[in-house]
Amino acid sequence: MSRSGGKGRSRGEAFGGIHAVASLLERAPERIKSLQLARGEVDASLQRILERAGALGVAVERVARERLDQQHPGFQHQGVIVHCAPRPVVDERELRERVERGLDLVLVLDGVTDPHNLGACLRTADAAGAGALVVPRHHSAPLTPAAIKVASGAAETVPVVSVGNLARTLAALKETGMWATGLDGEAQEVLYDVDLRPPAAIVMGAEGEGLRRLTREACDHLAHIPMAGTVESLNVSVATGVSLFEVRRQRRVVTAGNIG
């Protein structure tokens, strides 16, 4: 999603949206180069961003809203644009090292191509405590400004790890003791019957197409979410939420059972 922030700006990431910008100011202010704020009335949320930027010494440029629209067509910027250095890259080696140090929940998306779904999955991964989101290098949505905005700050807390071979990455994670569970509407096993208490990689398929064959074969379990209504499937971000919070539920039950 790297873009030029305008004439005279060095290349890097630029994105907008109140929640995304506020999160960056709070969690990774060292990445910020400058901030653009639309002239005119400033509401409470934008005022807090302005005050936080001032406290951090971030350069703030007040510009006409029309200029923001022209410089960043397609951005849903809500009156604020941030220009920053590219986010640090987490590669496969570092991911494995983090798992070996105790990271116990990873989300894997096999070919999700809608940036909004990617952003929603990132937000859910953050809420459920997943330590990374793994995607294939090809046939996957990029981390666009739209995805970052939908993620509402989760793009700063959950690293997106782009890998060349998803099946090989799953095999490497399994060597560390992780168990891979793929969600598949045709699977015989029910998600709630899978033991998700050990370190887990939850693997979600692409919109409409599901898991690819090699990805399916790399999973320890294939499971489905039982549907009580007439619809046949859930949106991938919704299914992700059900799956990740089932992991949290099972682990909470174990923890509660060990108290006292």
Side-chain angles (χ1 to χ4, degrees):
M1 62 164 268
S2 294
R3 297 191 179 190
S4 172
K7 185 176 180 180
R9 296 183 186 274
S10 59
R11 291 190 66 81
E13 291 184 340
F15 57 88
I18 290 171
H19 292 299
V21 172
S23 177
L24 187 67
L25 284 165
E26 186 65 31
R27 299 174 180 177
E30 69 282 354
R31 291 182 54 215
I32 299 174
K33 297 179 179 179
S34 63
L35 187 147
Q36 289 179 300
L37 196 67
R39 292 197 191 103
E41 184 177 349
V42 177
D43 64 18
S45 296
L46 289 175
Q47 183 62 38
R48 285 193 292 270
I49 286 176
L50 188 60
E51 292 172 356
R52 180 62 176 163
L56 293 169
V58 173
V60 177
E61 180 185 13
R62 301 297 292 268
V63 300
R65 182 176 290 267
E66 294 77 12
R67 182 178 167 190
L68 292 183
D69 294 336
Q70 292 170 359
Q71 287 183 342
H72 308 282
F75 275 37
Q76 298 296 318
H77 53 70
Q78 298 178 299
V80 60
I81 294 284
V82 68
H83 301 269
C84 55
R87 69 193 66 249
V89 175
V90 175
D91 59 16
E92 294 178 65
R93 177 189 295 181
E94 184 170 349
L95 173 63
R96 176 164 180 152
E97 291 174 352
R98 292 188 183 191
V99 172
E100 290 173 341
R101 293 197 301 266
L103 190 160
D104 63 358
L105 181 57
V106 171
L107 173 63
V108 180
L109 300 182
D110 183 17
V112 171
T113 57
D114 185 335
H116 286 81
N117 278 337
L118 175 64
C121 287
L122 262 175
R123 183 173 183 173
T124 301
D126 175 83
L133 190 156
V134 180
V135 297
R137 192 163 294 130
H138 305 291
H139 309 296
S140 178
L143 194 57
T144 63
I148 290 173
K149 184 173 185 295
V150 172
S152 295
E156 303 306 320
T157 60
V158 181
V160 177
V161 185
S162 180
V163 303
N165 187 309
L166 205 55
R168 184 176 61 205
T169 298
L170 285 172
L173 291 175
K174 288 161 60 175
E175 288 176 359
T176 69
M178 269 197 162
W179 290 77
T181 298
L183 273 290
D184 185 342
E186 302 300 320
Q188 295 299 310
E189 197 167 10
V190 175
L191 175 67
Y192 310 135
D193 294 333
V194 178
D195 185 358
L196 299 171
R197 294 170 297 176
I202 299 298
V203 189
M204 311 299 299
E207 305 95 336
E209 299 178 8
L211 299 172
R212 292 177 293 174
R213 179 180 62 83
L214 292 178
T215 305
R216 287 169 54 90
E217 293 175 355
C219 293
D220 298 295
H221 297 278
L222 293 173
H224 72 275
I225 298 171
M227 308 290 287
T230 58
V231 298
E232 295 182 356
S233 63
L234 298 172
N235 173 275
V236 64
S237 63
V238 175
T240 294
V242 173
S243 303
L244 292 180
F245 278 96
E246 174 61 13
V247 177
R248 296 263 69 91
R249 186 196 69 81
Q250 290 190 19
R251 293 177 181 178
R252 183 182 180 191
V253 168
V254 171
T255 300
N258 291 336
I259 295 176

